[in-house]
Amino acid sequence: MSTTTFVILGIGSVLILILSIPSLRAGWKHALPRSLAFVTLLVLALLNGKAWLVDPFSPTQLLSWLLLAASILLSLYPLYLLRRYALPEGNIDYTTRLVDRGIYRFIRHPLYLSLILLALGALLKRVTLLTLSLTFVLVTLLYITARLEESFNVSKFGSTYREYMQRTKMFIPWIL
């Protein structure tokens, strides 16, 4: 990795830490693995940075761009729903109401799914043992984050969230 890449990684990691401070200070157990997932995603994107525009019309690159576009589109709708219906106090982490409409009728963590799609899109830019390992670590961190966040949500919303968990899937409708 070049000096520029290390500088971007350093600045990006510091920004992620700064954005994570409120959640970490609040003692949210899901804040740490989520922050580490974002740093891992940044490392993955930077490692594959030079490959993003190489052979842009190959099947692998086209699939990569499709996953990246799906990731962006998938993140917009849940963010809208959280802003509109969860009545957050400040940022979307501080929701006051459970959202179970729209995509949330089917899956509990569409934003984490969008990050998984983003990681897969970044991975496909250049698949190596290192980038494959980082993607595995990232997906594992997001799974851990989702599980810890669910425990937090059960303590916050009680039986309503438990019932919600029974009728929805974690990441993929009707499957997982």
Side-chain angles (χ1 to χ4, degrees), residues 1-15 42 46:
M1 288 201 318
S2 70
T3 304
T4 305
T5 304
F6 275 112
V7 169
I8 293 169
L9 178 59
I11 292 169
S13 297
V14 167
L15 289 173
L42 178 60
L46 290 172

Side-chain angles (χ1 to χ4, degrees), residues 118-172:
L118 186 65
L120 292 174
L123 167 68
L124 289 178
K125 293 298 177 188
R126 189 178 57 143
V127 180
T128 66
L129 184 57
L130 177 58
T131 58
L132 194 58
S133 299
L134 283 169
T135 302
F136 177 77
V137 167
L138 175 65
V139 170
T140 302
L141 285 167
L142 289 171
Y143 177 79
I144 291 168
T145 301
R147 296 301 292 194
L148 291 170
E149 188 174 305
E150 287 180 344
S151 294
F152 174 78
N153 286 336
V154 165
S155 68
K156 186 175 182 177
F157 297 111
S159 62
T160 304
Y161 197 82
R162 277 192 212 92
E163 291 166 9
Y164 174 65
M165 289 174 68
Q166 293 298 315
R167 65 179 189 273
T168 59
K169 296 296 181 182
M170 195 178 237
F171 298 115
I172 303 170

